[in-house]
Amino acid sequence: MEQKLVALSGNEAVAYAFKQARPHVASAFPITPQTEMMHKFAEFVANGETETEMILVESEHSAMSAAVGSAAAGARTFTATSSAGFALMWEIVYVAASLRLPICMALVNRALSGNINIHCDHSDSMGGRDAGWIHLFSENAQESYDNAVMAWRIGEHMDVRLPVMVNYDGFIISHTADALHMLPDDAAYDFIGKYKHAYTLLDPENPVTVGPLDLTDYYFEHKASQLATYERVPGIVQSVSEEFGALTGRTYQFCEEYAMDDAELVIVVLGSSAGTCKDVIDEYREKGVKVGLLKIRMFRPFPVQMIAEKLAGRKAVAVLDRSASFGGQGGPVFMETRSAMYGQQVPVNNYIYGLGGRDFDLHQVEEVIDDLQKVAAGEELQLINLLGIRS
Amino acid sequence: MAVNLKQLTQHEELLTGGHRACAGCTGSNILRQIMLTAGQNTVVGGATGCMEVVTTIFPYTAWRTSFIHSAFENCAATVSGAETAYRALKKRGDLPREETGRKNFIAFGGDGGTYDIGLQSLSGAMERGHNMVYVCYDNEAYMNTGIQRSSATPLGAFTSTAPAGKVKQGKEQNRKDLTKIMVAHNIPYVAQTTPFHWKDLATKVEKALAVDGPAFLNILMPCPVGWHFDTAIGMQLAKEAVESNFWPLFEVENGVYKINQKPKERSPMENWMKQQGRFKHLFRPGNEAILENIQTYVDEQWEKLLKLEEMTAK
C-alpha cells in the first residue's frame, strides 16, 4: 500500500488515526499535553472531514462517563486524556472495561500530581494498569499512529470487546514533529472496518439492562469471565498486527527486539526512551559489547511468555521504569518483568528514571550498560536505582 | 397535553413488579408513573441509589426498556453519551432499527446523586443542551447507604450523620434549592412535583419529554424508612408537603414561572412534621426556635416563589 510520508506531531498523528476510524462520538476535556490532539480532531469536525459528534464535557470523569454511555448505546467512541485527567476518570475506567465497551483512548503520558508537573512519565497509565484496558505503548509518532489505527480492530474484535489505551509520551512524542507514513483515509477505514456493537441501549425491541447490581452470587463469575478474555487478547493482537503489517509493511510484536540475537545484556523499556537506548546500544555494539533492547509495546495484557523467553539465558537484565511504586519493590515494569522471569537465574536490576519529564539522556543509558557489564561479571549491585538525579 | 387517567392505565407497565423496593416506598411509584407516560421507546439511566439497586439485582431486572447504570455521580454524563450516540448513529443511518416517533432519554438519581455528588455532571449535561430529561427523586437524605444527611435534607431533620443528641438537634442547615439552580441553567423546562399529584406529574413528564433540549424534574419522594412514618401514609405526606408550601408544585417554562397549585390556606409545617419520626425531637421543649425557623423559611421561600411568578408573567 502506498503511504504518504508526512511530518506531524504525535498528537496530530493520533488525531488523524482516530479520524480515519470515522468514530460516531468523541468526548473530550482539555488537559496538557493531550489538548492538541483534541484541537486537531475538533478542526476535522469543524471542517466536515468527519461526522463525529463531540461531547465537550465539564471534566474527565464525565468524559469517560459519556464515552461509556455512548459505547453502550452502540457507537464507536473515543476520548483522550493525560495524568490527573486519567486519575479523575479512574472509577469509570474500570466500568468501561467491565461493561466490555471497546472505547479507544489516547493517554498522553504525563506525571501525576503532586507536585503538579506537566511533563512525561508513566505514572498515569500505571495507576490504571489493573483496570482491564489493553495498554499499548509507542516509541514515536509512527508507532502512536499505527497503534491508534490497530487499537480499534483489537478492542472491537468480538472475542475481545475491551477498551484500548494508546500511550505516547507527553511532549516528547505528543509535541515533537516527526516523519511518519500514513495510510490513505479509505484504506485505513477499510482496515478498521465498520463498527459493530455487541449490545445497544437503542433497540426498543430488544431492551437490555446494563450495569446492574451484582452481588456475592454472580460478581465473581463475571470477573472470571472477564479474566478469561485477557488470555485471548494476545492472539488477536498478533493477527491484527500481521494484517496491518501486510498492508503497511510495519509489523509489530508485543515486544520489539533490538540487537537481541546474541545479546548477553538486555535493557527493558517502554515508550520513547527506547530510541535513546537504541542509539547508545549502537555505540556499545561497535565496541563489541553484546547489549540489546527489549521494548515492551503491549503492557496489558502483559506478554509474560514472550518476555520470559526473550530474557532467558541472558547474563544481566536492566528494567527501566518511568514511574515509581511508592513502597513497592521497584517500578511496575520491573515487578512484572521479574515475576515473568521467575525461576530463571538471570540477575535483574531496576532503574527508575525520567520522573516528571526529567530528560533521559545518553549518559544514563551508558550508566545502565556499564552496570549491566559489572553484573554480568558477577558483581552484585543495588537492586533498585534512580537515574539522572542530582546528588 | 391533557393527561387522562383512563388512558394512562391502559399503557404498558415498563417497570415490572417484583423489584425490591421497601414497603411503602413512593420511589417505585414515581418511576412507574414516569414510564407510563414515556413509553417503550425510552432509554433510562440510573445513578447509584435506592431505585437503581432495587430494580436491577442481577440476574433480574424490573426494566422493560433499556437501562444503564454506571456509577453514582455520573448519570447525567452517561445518558448524555447515549443521547449523543443516538444522534450520531441516526445521522449516518447506523441505528439498530428504523424508528418513527420520539426517542426519550431519561436519567434519574436520588438527591445524593443529584444535589451533591452528581451536581457537576448534571450541570454539564444541562448546559450542553442534550435532549434528555433528568429526574431527581428527592427523599431528602442518602437513604440507600443508611439515611445520611444530604444537601437536600431539611433543617432539623434527624439523619445518621447529623443525628439529634444532647447538644445537637439534627441537621443544622436549610436545604439547597436545586430546582432554582436548574432554572439558572436557562433550560427550556424545569418543574417540581410529587407522586401523589399524578396528573400534575404525568403532564410535567410529557412536557419535559416534548421540549427540544434538556429538562429537569424534581420529585419529592416520601421515604418511610428515612422519614420514619407508617408505610400507609407516604402519598398523604406528599400531598401535605404541597399543602404546607414546603414543596410547591411549580414549573418554569422558558424562564416563566407558574405555580400549579396554590393552597387557599397553607397548613402549618408542624402538622406535616409531626407525622415523621425524623422531626420528633423538634417537638421536645427547648426546640421551639428551630420549629419557628423552619416555618419562617418555608413561608419566605413561598413568598419569593410568588414574586418570581409575578415577575416572569407574560
Side-chain angles (χ1 to χ4, degrees):
Chain A
M1 170 70 57
E2 196 169 324
Q3 295 162 77
K4 216 160 87 181
L5 180 65
V6 291
L8 294 174
S9 70
N11 271 336
E12 289 170 329
V14 170
Y16 270 102
F18 282 176
K19 181 191 82 166
Q20 290 178 326
R22 300 181 198 168
H24 296 104
V25 174
S27 60
F29 186 80
I31 183 165
T32 304
Q34 153 270 26
T35 38
E36 196 195 34
M37 202 284 275
M38 279 298 183
H39 296 172
K40 190 74 199 166
F41 195 84
E43 267 177 46
F44 294 142
V45 175
N47 291 327
E49 290 179 51
T50 173
E51 287 187 297
T52 308
E53 290 285 340
M54 292 188 81
I55 315 179
L56 303 171
V57 289
E58 81 301 329
S59 70
E60 288 90 353
H61 194 282
S62 284
M64 188 47 68
S65 300
V68 163
S70 167
R76 180 173 278 163
T77 307
F78 81 92
T79 187
T81 194
S82 294
S83 179
F86 182 61
L88 184 59
M89 286 179 177
W90 198 75
E91 175 194 23
I92 314 304
V93 168
Y94 272 75
V95 174
S98 302
L99 295 183
R100 311 299 296 273
L101 299 170
I103 296 162
C104 278
M105 175 159 70
L107 186 63
V108 189
N109 302 116
R110 160 182 157 181
L112 287 173
S113 299
N115 298 336
I116 188 168
N117 175 298
I118 58 168
H119 295 283
C120 174
D121 73 33
H122 297 152
S123 54
D124 50 5
S125 161
M126 290 303 161
R129 67 189 187 269
D130 295 334
W133 287 54
I134 295 167
H135 291 219
L136 305 177
F137 278 82
S138 323
E139 182 182 332
N140 48 35
Q142 180 73 70
E143 227 181 303
S144 306
Y145 168 83
D146 290 346
N147 281 339
V149 172
M150 287 189 285
W152 306 96
R153 281 287 302 278
I154 296 164
E156 291 174 8
H157 194 288
M158 282 298 168
D159 291 336
V160 176
R161 301 312 285 191
L162 287 171
V164 183
M165 187 188 293
V166 176
N167 291 276
Y168 53 101
D169 289 343
F171 292 108
I172 301 166
I173 298 175
S174 69
H175 284 62
T176 311
D178 200 354
L180 70 148
H181 285 96
M182 250 177 37
L183 284 166
D185 285 356
D186 287 344
Y189 185 73
D190 285 346
F191 173 80
I192 294 164
K194 189 176 164 65
Y195 185 72
K196 293 187 190 74
H197 60 255
Y199 61 82
T200 170
L201 296 167
L202 295 180
D203 184 356
E205 307 276 316
N206 296 295
V208 286
T209 289
V210 178
L213 178 65
D214 200 9
L215 298 176
T216 47
D217 47 356
Y218 285 98
Y219 180 89
F220 201 175
E221 278 71 21
H222 289 146
K223 290 296 135 185
S225 137
Q226 189 182 340
L227 278 166
T229 306
Y230 300 88
E231 307 280 325
R232 298 196 290 270
V233 172
I236 288 152
V237 172
Q238 180 85 24
S239 68
V240 171
S241 298
E242 281 165 14
E243 209 182 306
F244 186 78
L247 182 69
T248 62
R250 297 185 295 278
T251 307
Y252 294 102
Q253 296 290 329
F254 312 134
C255 302
E256 181 191 323
E257 295 171 78
Y258 186 80
M260 279 289 281
D261 282 351
D262 62 343
E264 293 169 349
L265 318 173
V266 180
I267 298 173
V268 178
V269 75
L270 299 177
S272 65
S273 309
T276 314
C277 292
K278 286 173 184 174
D279 232 36
V280 181
I281 285 170
D282 288 347
E283 284 173 30
Y284 274 75
R285 279 279 171 181
E286 278 175 29
K287 288 190 274 183
V289 180
K290 291 183 175 173
V291 56
L293 177 82
L294 192 65
K295 178 184 86 185
I296 301 177
R297 295 190 64 257
M298 182 174 79
F299 186 75
R300 280 289 180 272
F302 194 70
V304 174
Q305 206 183 334
M306 183 174 188
I307 286 172
E309 278 170 22
K310 296 299 173 191
L311 298 179
R314 312 289 177 175
K315 287 191 177 163
V317 171
V319 180
L320 272 53
D321 263 292
R322 200 161 197 153
S323 66
S325 168
F326 299 101
Q329 199 184 16
V333 185
F334 173 70
M335 287 192 266
E336 301 268 350
T337 303
R338 207 158 75 130
S339 176
M341 294 171 70
Y342 182 75
Q344 294 187 21
Q345 297 304 311
V346 182
V348 193
N349 291 329
N350 188 203
Y351 295 84
I352 292 166
Y353 75 99
L355 300 190
R358 172 64 50 87
D359 195 23
F360 180 60
D361 61 25
L362 306 175
H363 299 299
Q364 293 173 36
V365 186
E366 286 165 6
E367 196 180 323
V368 170
I369 300 175
D370 292 346
D371 278 1
L372 279 168
Q373 288 177 288
K374 287 179 198 161
V375 173
E379 208 173 312
E380 196 166 320
L381 297 182
Q382 194 168 297
L383 188 67
I384 298 152
N385 307 273
L386 304 181
L387 277 181
I389 54 161
R390 286 192 298 276
S391 51
Chain B
M1 270 184 271
V3 176
N4 174 325
L5 184 60
K6 201 173 161 189
Q7 258 177 13
L8 273 181
T9 56
Q10 283 161 2
H11 290 183
E12 191 195 352
E13 288 279 4
L14 295 167
L15 185 78
T16 67
H19 56 71
R20 320 287 178 92
C22 306
C25 174
T26 59
S28 52
N29 199 297
I30 290 169
L31 297 182
R32 272 184 60 215
Q33 291 195 49
I34 291 170
M35 295 312 293
L36 283 177
T37 304
Q40 179 69 50
N41 202 4
T42 301
V43 174
V44 180
T48 311
C50 289
M51 290 299 107
E52 167 262 330
V53 163
V54 303
T55 58
T56 68
I57 299 186
F58 190 87
Y60 305 105
T61 180
W63 294 95
R64 287 193 173 129
T65 58
S66 277
F67 173 89
I68 183 166
H69 162 258
S70 160
F72 194 3
E73 67 281 48
N74 67 350
C75 188
T78 307
V79 173
S80 81
E83 186 268 346
T84 307
Y86 172 73
R87 281 186 282 113
L89 290 161
K90 193 175 179 183
K91 186 167 70 180
R92 292 196 215 168
D94 286 347
L95 283 175
R97 192 174 295 281
E98 270 201 33
E99 287 183 15
T100 53
R102 186 178 75 202
K103 186 102 176 167
N104 303 314
F105 291 87
I106 300 177
F108 69 80
D111 48 294
T114 309
Y115 284 68
D116 290 347
I117 197 170
L119 182 61
Q120 174 180 321
S121 171
L122 169 63
S123 176
M126 296 290 111
E127 183 271 334
R128 293 194 299 274
H130 295 278
N131 204 354
M132 62 183 271
V133 178
Y134 191 101
V135 177
C136 175
Y137 59 94
D138 181 355
N139 52 28
E140 305 197 309
Y142 291 83
M143 301 315 184
N144 189 44
T145 44
I147 321 168
Q148 295 85 6
R149 67 87 88 182
S150 77
S151 62
T153 305
L155 179 68
F158 183 109
T159 57
S160 44
T161 48
K166 284 181 187 153
V167 296
K168 300 238 183 198
Q169 301 304 321
K171 196 191 173 197
E172 294 176 325
Q173 301 83 13
N174 277 306
R175 67 198 315 282
K176 185 197 276 179
D177 193 342
L178 179 66
T179 309
K180 293 220 185 69
I181 295 172
M182 299 322 295
V183 173
H185 284 69
N186 295 323
I187 56 177
Y189 191 74
V190 176
Q192 268 193 194
T193 187
T194 90
F196 173 81
H197 304 85
W198 65 267
K199 193 166 183 172
D200 185 77
L201 188 150
T203 307
K204 285 172 176 170
V205 170
E206 182 50 39
K207 279 186 174 182
L209 291 171
V211 296
D212 184 17
F216 176 81
L217 298 177
N218 206 352
I219 306 183
L220 188 71
M221 174 191 152
C223 169
V225 179
W227 295 12
H228 298 276
F229 59 76
D230 184 277
T231 51
I233 66 162
M235 287 300 176
Q236 184 65 26
L237 287 175
K239 176 172 177 277
E240 291 179 25
V242 174
E243 288 168 351
S244 65
N245 289 343
F246 173 75
W247 190 264
L249 299 183
F250 71 98
E251 61 192 341
V252 185
E253 256 181 290
N254 298 313
V256 178
Y257 277 77
K258 185 182 175 194
I259 303 172
N260 308 100
Q261 184 179 320
K262 289 179 186 165
K264 285 201 181 82
E265 197 181 339
R266 69 120 175 88
S267 66
M269 278 296 284
E270 282 190 24
N271 292 357
W272 184 67
M273 291 163 67
K274 271 184 176 159
Q275 303 172 68
Q276 304 171 47
R278 62 176 172 156
F279 296 120
K280 198 173 152 193
H281 56 285
L282 298 180
F283 294 94
R284 286 185 205 137
N287 286 337
E288 296 79 5
I290 301 174
L291 285 174
E292 207 181 303
N293 284 345
I294 291 170
Q295 187 63 63
T296 307
Y297 184 73
V298 166
D299 290 343
E300 279 173 7
Q301 293 300 313
W302 174 254
E303 288 303 317
K304 277 187 199 166
L305 187 63
L306 288 172
K307 282 189 187 125
L308 282 166
E309 187 185 44
E310 201 186 303
M311 273 168 56
T312 58
K314 285 197 173 162

